[in-house]
Amino acid sequence: MTEQQEPSTRARYTPSEFEDSIYQSWQESGLFSPPADGLRPTFTVMIPPPNVTGVLHMGHALNNTLQDVVIRHRRMTGYDALWVPGTDHAGIATQAIVEKKLYREQNLKRADMGREAFLEEVWKWREHHGDVILSQLQKIGASCDWSRTKFTLDPEMSLAVRTAFVKMWDKKLVYRGSRLVNWDCKLETAVSDDEIEYVTRKGKIYTLRYPIVNSDEYIEVSTTRPETMLGDMGVAVHPDDKRYAHMVGKQIALPLTERLIPIVADESVEADYGTGAVKVTPGHDQADYDRGRRHGMQVMNILNGDGTMNEECGKFSGLPRAQAREEIIAAFDELGLFVGVEEITHNVTISDRSKSVIEPLVSEQWFVRMSEMAQPAIDAVNSGNLNFKPARWKKVYLDWLENVHDWCISRQLWWGHRIPVWYDEDGVPLASIEDVEIGSLHPETLKPIIRQDEDVLDTWASSWLWPFATLGWPDSESNKDLNRFYPTQFLSTGRDIIYLWVARMVMAGYAFLDDMPEADRCPFSTCYIHATVLDGQGRRMSKSAGNGIDPVAMINKYGADAVRYSLMIMTRDGQDVKLADNRFELGQRFCNKIFNVSQYVMTHLKGDISRPAAASFRFEDKWIKSRLSNLNVTISAALESYDFHDAAQALYRFTNDDFCDWYVELSKRRLWAIEDEEATDEMLADAQAAKVTLGEVLADLLKLLHPFTPFLTEKLWAELPQDLREDRGLLMGSEWPIADKGAQDSNIEQQFDKLRDAVRAIRNVRALLEISTSENPECTIHCDEDADVKLFSDQESIVAFTAHVGNLDVKSANEATPVATGTDVFAGGAIFLPMPIDADTSKLRENLEKKLSKIKGGLIGLEKKLSNDKFVANAGPEIVEGERQRMQDLQAECQTVEANLRNL
């Protein structure tokens, strides 16, 4: 695609005909892969690695388009721009998929197979399915360096994970201990606080009666989980609750067990909630765990890993939780100790992976001490080394870090980074980056190593190293990439992983890159929190709701550029995007407009495109070059500050309004001279000026559009004459245009705006007076300023051509108003068109009155809508802005109709 190609004769934009071949040409060019030893400044983006289980959804499409816009712009502005792709092994999600597949197809469970055989099956699954989402990213135009693609279980990534673990071990930041954790009974693993959700569900609350030893009294407790009473270690009441003051210190004979448990006073109890007495189950509730510690209670676990009752539960051992609940209630009822049950609605904690109910239970796990590691990450934001956009997300980040808890990093899974700890025969641990041979001697105890820890690390314990592990850390031989491309400059991600991933990456940068200057350790300087894509009704898209929109299907229907551009113009400062299939029609229409105007321009770019003398360039040539220069400044500033919507909107307005609707239309009255054998030299020079201006504006416009619509602009770039393509190579590798400050002329732009507004007024009156399009009536223009009299006199041809009128009679505003005319005002004066000779004034009045009534009805409706706080809050900002603009337009139209009714 380095030679000029003939412009397509096809009248319609058909992206499926060229997108794949253009992407292949990009890959073959090597432009995706900046050198590790180049001299240009660098700009690095790390893709948030999608799960290896994933397929492209609309959130991915939005986020990766944002990143691609950034990386393409930086590549064109002179940077060695690196965008590193990759996938996450997604421990829980991937293991669950393969387990289901094996059970469905072979009736096998992983426990039947053993660890090694099961992992072989997971790797086979990954080889077949693991890179689907990366190939889909290519469909949307992602210009990643695929030669640097990483997978979080690659050997070099495993080395980084082990190195980080051992560094924490040496600094005593990682430890193993028994603590209350969130347990997923379906997946049989611990999950962190950040991997759970709270959902509202209907449930039941049961009231039970506990007998007091050596007394006829009972104390009543209420619970939503009566099966956990088998692990009760006490009952707590508030110390000021007079109802129970005499019971504090007494013993309860816990029903269905042979244990005695105390009644204690604890200020955490809410006396006015329920019975005012709470059962204390330290092994299965965080609040109870804390109460139990304060009162020296033992911790008993009553559950197996799969959620069944364990051996501590006597005759209920082995029962699933739900069945145990029923039988325990029945047993209480038989003993006369069951008080009653109520239907309630309450919050339930569920696993965000399996969606099963979380059971808090005490388990031995690995933890990371987070408070010490958090401070540098807090300082990074407070010092300005790390900036959030939108800035409001800084608070979410800081709130989590300032109240951080130790991180449970172990998971009872097989797929993942196995914890690099080995034990001798006495259970003494040894952390090692290298594998430790079974049977070798422990370096401290000199006793034989007999096993490696069975658990794997939390998925986030590898992805928190992503910004530097992908660049070769800790291998010093690979550090050309690390030294050149770290730290990165831009991260785009979702709000839901600010603390799961973003905060932890910042912590990791400061904790592990201790051989770097502190100022260079923060992994990125800007964290952009992108919008959440919702359906047309404002609901989150999900498989279960069936309301998702497949980006690949939309690409096949509308084209990648239409999808990209639509997403960008709908994204405003991180505000959520309400999306329906037809919203992509906006991008499709825009791309079609670019395609069609480019075909028109290029049909006139054949032959000589050398610049004529400066005197040949007209008022409108200077105007469009000024507008283009200002557009360049606007787009460049918006992309530098990551204001994607603003850039997309500015491109839309310039392309549709300034270029297509005005300059291209005006060029038509000049270009005909090129084909006219009788044209004078002056006419030919005038036509050449229009031709050159069209070509230069289109060439720069294609560059400015390229980050947003790369496929279409690359195709059109190849069809431009070589003289307009500075290096005759790919547009992707061309230089970003430099704004011509000398072309900027605010006076010309203000003058042209007056001409446009006058044309708008003429068109309005033509429509109101029902003047046929075949008629070119004379037009009178009254100007408020003498300078405008000169402007309209000098540029009469612009107004006459675009408004389809005959002669212009330009006068000062203090001249007499013409009679028998229709009128409208513009910025700087008023226009008057004569009534058609055969006009039926009574019918015209009737039509205008009907139109006025309709306009006023529309205004009433818009006023109601815009005064409705619910509409303004829930509608997309672009919709509200559009309705406000529509109201202004109707108000202006109302004034015009009323003025013409007065004239009649």
Side-chain angles (χ1 to χ4, degrees), residues 312-421:
E312 299 283 357
C313 300
K315 66 178 183 179
F316 303 104
S317 296
L319 296 181
R321 286 167 292 171
Q323 185 180 344
R325 180 175 301 178
E326 291 178 5
E327 294 196 14
I328 286 170
I329 291 299
F332 265 77
D333 196 26
E334 189 174 329
L335 293 170
L337 299 175
F338 178 58
V339 178
V341 60
E342 293 179 40
E343 300 282 342
I344 60 168
T345 300
H346 63 143
N347 284 333
V348 177
T349 308
I350 64 170
S351 165
D352 70 355
R353 293 294 183 186
S354 70
K355 305 305 179 186
S356 63
V357 175
I358 287 292
E359 285 289 350
L361 57 81
V362 171
S363 174
E364 193 171 11
Q365 302 287 340
W366 286 95
F367 296 88
V368 174
R369 302 183 202 277
M370 299 289 275
S371 56
E372 181 180 331
M373 299 175 74
Q375 192 57 51
I378 293 170
D379 294 341
V381 166
N382 290 335
S383 67
N385 284 343
L386 171 60
N387 294 288
F388 278 86
K389 187 175 178 67
R392 64 181 181 272
W393 295 110
K394 169 184 172 181
K395 184 177 186 304
V396 174
Y397 170 92
L398 289 176
D399 283 351
W400 185 77
L401 284 170
E402 288 166 355
N403 299 281
V404 72
H405 299 290
D406 285 0
W407 174 18
C408 176
I409 59 167
S410 50
R411 298 291 181 268
Q412 288 63 55
L413 303 171
W414 287 350
W415 175 247
H417 293 278
R418 194 166 176 180
I419 290 174
V421 171

Side-chain angles (χ1 to χ4, degrees), residues 815-876:
E815 303 246 0
T817 301
V819 295
T821 57
T823 185
D824 196 3
V825 295
F826 67 93
I831 66 94
F832 303 90
L833 291 181
M835 290 282 185
I837 296 172
D838 56 350
D840 182 341
T841 55
S842 61
K843 183 182 178 185
L844 188 56
R845 176 180 290 279
E846 182 183 347
N847 288 346
L848 288 176
E849 286 174 344
K850 285 181 180 177
K851 188 172 185 68
L852 183 61
S853 176
K854 186 175 180 181
I855 292 169
K856 288 183 174 179
L859 282 169
I860 291 170
L862 282 170
E863 285 170 358
K864 285 182 179 178
K865 184 182 283 188
L866 291 170
S867 63
N868 184 332
D869 293 340
K870 189 173 181 182
F871 167 76
V872 174
N874 294 331

Side-chain angles (χ1 to χ4, degrees), residues 35-341:
D37 53 0
L39 298 176
R40 302 202 307 175
T42 61
F43 192 95
T44 311
V45 175
M46 293 289 173
I47 198 171
N51 285 352
V52 72
T53 58
V55 294
L56 196 70
H57 59 60
M58 208 44 87
H60 292 131
L62 170 63
N63 191 20
N64 287 283
T65 298
L66 289 168
Q67 294 170 79
D68 195 51
V69 168
V70 170
I71 213 75
R72 286 180 183 274
H73 169 244
R74 297 293 181 165
R75 189 181 287 123
M76 293 175 74
T77 53
Y79 288 87
D80 274 345
L82 172 63
W83 186 12
V84 177
T87 51
D88 192 292
H89 65 278
I92 292 177
T94 305
Q95 179 162 316
I97 286 174
V98 177
E99 285 197 63
K100 287 178 184 176
K101 178 178 180 290
L102 288 170
Y103 190 75
R104 183 178 64 250
E105 295 176 0
Q106 302 179 45
N107 199 30
L108 280 176
K109 294 185 177 180
R110 66 178 168 118
D112 303 328
M113 303 173 65
R115 189 172 197 136
E116 297 306 317
F118 176 75
L119 288 177
E120 280 184 27
E121 291 296 323
V122 184
W123 277 106
K124 285 180 189 176
W125 183 92
R126 189 261 170 182
E127 293 303 317
H128 282 92
H129 304 282
D131 292 331
V132 169
I133 195 167
L134 297 184
S135 64
Q136 290 176 324
L137 287 176
Q138 295 180 11
K139 288 284 288 180
I140 206 164
S143 56
C144 300
D145 183 352
W146 302 108
S147 69
R148 286 178 165 101
T149 301
K150 299 297 182 183
F151 176 53
T152 51
L153 282 180
D154 285 343
E156 59 269 29
M157 295 295 289
S158 294
L159 173 64
V161 169
R162 285 190 172 193
T163 301
F165 186 95
V166 172
K167 275 179 171 281
M168 290 191 294
W169 175 274
D170 291 343
K171 294 178 181 179
K172 295 183 169 45
L173 291 173
V174 65
Y175 66 94
R176 187 167 175 83
S178 291
R179 289 183 44 186
L180 197 69
V181 298
N182 304 304
W183 189 263
D184 185 324
C185 296
K186 186 174 182 180
L187 298 174
E188 297 190 45
T189 182
V191 295
S192 71
D193 290 343
D194 309 315
E195 296 171 306
I196 60 177
E197 301 173 5
Y198 298 95
V199 296
T200 301
R201 290 183 179 174
K202 290 182 178 179
K204 296 177 180 179
I205 188 165
Y206 304 83
T207 301
L208 309 176
R209 183 177 290 160
Y210 287 178
I212 297 174
V213 175
N214 300 323
S215 170
D216 295 332
E217 289 187 285
Y218 299 87
I219 192 166
E220 293 182 359
V221 295
S222 296
T223 178
T224 58
R225 300 155 66 216
E227 68 278 10
T228 62
M229 57 80 45
L230 296 173
D232 284 0
M233 289 295 159
V235 170
V237 298
H238 194 279
D240 297 334
D241 194 332
K242 295 178 181 178
R243 294 173 295 173
Y244 303 116
H246 68 289
M247 296 182 180
V248 173
K250 294 187 176 181
Q251 297 282 311
I252 289 169
L254 186 65
L256 310 181
T257 75
E258 297 179 356
R259 296 202 312 277
L260 299 180
I261 60 174
I263 299 174
V264 298
D266 194 282
E267 291 186 348
S268 68
V269 178
E270 297 178 42
D272 55 355
Y273 182 77
T275 66
V278 296
K279 55 193 285 300
V280 182
T281 319
H284 295 283
D285 183 273
Q286 184 61 57
D288 289 353
Y289 181 81
D290 295 337
R291 290 185 187 114
R293 288 180 65 185
R294 285 195 291 272
H295 296 281
M297 296 178 183
Q298 290 185 337
V299 177
M300 177 188 288
N301 176 27
I302 61 165
L303 292 176
N304 294 314
D306 61 359
T308 57
M309 312 303 286
N310 68 16
E311 69 280 357
E312 299 283 357
C313 300
K315 66 178 183 179
F316 303 104
S317 296
L319 296 181
R321 286 167 292 171
Q323 185 180 344
R325 180 175 301 178
E326 291 178 5
E327 294 196 14
I328 286 170
I329 291 299
F332 265 77
D333 196 26
E334 189 174 329
L335 293 170
L337 299 175
F338 178 58
V339 178
V341 60

Side-chain angles (χ1 to χ4, degrees), residues 171 372-386 468 486-488 505-525:
K171 294 178 181 179
E372 181 180 331
M373 299 175 74
Q375 192 57 51
I378 293 170
D379 294 341
V381 166
N382 290 335
S383 67
N385 284 343
L386 171 60
F468 48 88
Y486 188 92
T488 74
M505 283 192 288
V506 179
M507 295 166 81
Y510 284 101
F512 303 128
L513 300 179
D514 39 22
D515 55 344
M516 280 190 181
E518 188 167 334
D520 294 338
R521 292 187 206 173
C522 188
F524 31 82
S525 51

